Structure formats: structure tokens, C-alpha cells
Amino acid sequence: MSKVLQLATAKFDYVVATDCTYIDPDGSTPDDDHFMTACAGLCHENTRCFVTFEDRGTVLRNNFLAAAHTKFHYVKEMHRNELPQHYQLAHIDVWELRL
């Protein structure tokens, strides 16, 4: 339990996450609200949270962004040319989120 408390009170400079690990019980759509709650819970006012999002359709993207905007004040897609060459994938978006 002490490790959990350490994580809960730590102040991270960066959080790196991917949305495809949070799936709802029927396996059809990500559980974006819980995912964003977990991301926001690891952040403080100076944390930069980078989240990858695999392009799986407009509805899922809109749900992802709606959940991001409920937890974070700053939601910005990073341009692919800002990323190292081997991270510039057409089907993966990278978002920077800040409280």
C-alpha cells in the first residue's frame, strides 16, 4: 500500500500513456472517462501528459477528445513533424494534455 500512496502523492513532470489499454466490458469502445481520470490523477499543475491515440474512427476520436476536455484545460495535438521520425505514424496521434 505504501507504493500506491507514493504514486498518489508524487509530482511527475511527464506522464506518458496510450488510450488503447482502457477497453469497456463489451470491448467495442475505450473507457475514455476512466482513462482521463487516471491520467489527470497523476498530474499536477506543471505536468505534461502525452497520450497516444490510435485512429479507430471519428466517433472514438470525438469521445476521446470530449473526455480529455473534461479533465484537462490544455488539449493539443502534436504535429507529426514535431516527433522523431520513427514516431511519425499515420494512424497514431500524439496529444499533449495539461491541467
Side-chain angles (χ1 to χ4, degrees):
M1 186 58 121
S2 65
K3 292 285 186 193
V4 172
L5 290 175
Q6 274 183 313
L7 283 174
T9 58
K11 291 200 171 199
F12 298 105
D13 294 326
Y14 300 96
V15 172
V16 178
T18 184
D19 82 304
C20 64
T21 60
Y22 280 74
I23 304 297
D24 69 350
D26 71 6
S28 63
T29 60
D31 189 344
D32 294 310
D33 189 47
H34 286 101
F35 175 69
M36 288 301 165
T37 298
C39 289
L42 293 170
C43 295
H44 63 88
E45 63 277 358
N46 295 319
T47 303
R48 296 174 70 188
C49 181
F50 295 97
V51 177
T52 62
F53 177 82
E54 183 179 9
D55 184 9
R56 296 181 306 279
T58 304
V59 171
L60 295 179
R61 180 186 173 102
N62 290 343
N63 290 343
F64 168 82
L65 290 174
H69 283 287
T70 64
K71 301 292 181 187
F72 294 91
H73 289 100
Y74 181 89
V75 177
K76 177 186 172 250
E77 183 175 9
M78 297 187 68
H79 295 286
R80 283 189 176 81
N81 61 359
E82 296 179 87
L83 302 172
Q85 182 71 33
H86 55 281
Y87 292 115
Q88 296 178 15
L89 303 172
H91 66 288
I92 304 289
D93 298 332
V94 179
W95 293 85
E96 181 178 355
L97 312 174
R98 296 186 200 177
L99 295 176

